Amino acid sequence: MMHTPEPWKVSEESFDNDGVEESVIRGLDDRAAIAVTLDFGENNPTMREDNARRIVACVNACKGLSTEVLENILLMGDTILSRFEAMKTDKVH
């Protein structure tokens, strides 16, 4: 499975597509638009930017891990955070 290589980033400018603000997630040194996040309405004014930042942070933090490994962690009912906590506990004992 191939995806756009890291690093990804949130574009500095937001775009307006038919009156809807969008934050653009970009890769390949800004040459590729990978995804957009949209506003959810007046009750969540920063959610669009926050979602874009979280997606980018997760992708960049998982550099080197295959999509299959990440999917298998979830299928086992686990999370990356719980894996790190378990490793810390193992080092203490």
Side-chain angles (χ1 to χ4, degrees):
M1 183 179 295
M2 184 68 169
H3 63 78
T4 306
E6 300 84 358
W8 293 10
K9 72 176 213 173
V10 180
S11 182
E12 295 287 327
E13 70 279 351
S14 61
F15 293 89
D16 182 346
N17 184 13
D18 299 329
V20 177
E21 290 290 320
E22 300 175 346
S23 291
V24 180
I25 298 172
R26 302 187 74 76
L28 298 174
D29 296 321
D30 280 341
R31 294 180 313 222
I34 299 165
V36 297
T37 57
L38 306 172
D39 276 328
F40 286 91
E42 296 175 18
N43 294 335
N44 300 298
T46 65
M47 192 175 285
R48 170 178 49 91
E49 295 94 348
D50 293 345
N51 286 341
R53 287 179 50 228
R54 184 167 180 87
I55 291 166
V56 167
C58 289
V59 168
N60 290 337
C62 290
K63 180 178 181 176
L65 296 174
S66 73
T67 301
E68 291 79 11
V69 165
L70 296 170
E71 290 170 340
N72 285 331
I73 289 171
L74 294 174
L75 285 173
M76 293 178 359
D78 216 344
T79 65
I80 293 174
L81 178 59
S82 66
R83 293 285 178 104
F84 280 121
E85 289 171 347
M87 287 188 318
K88 282 194 267 184
T89 302
D90 289 344
K91 288 183 181 180
V92 172
H93 297 285

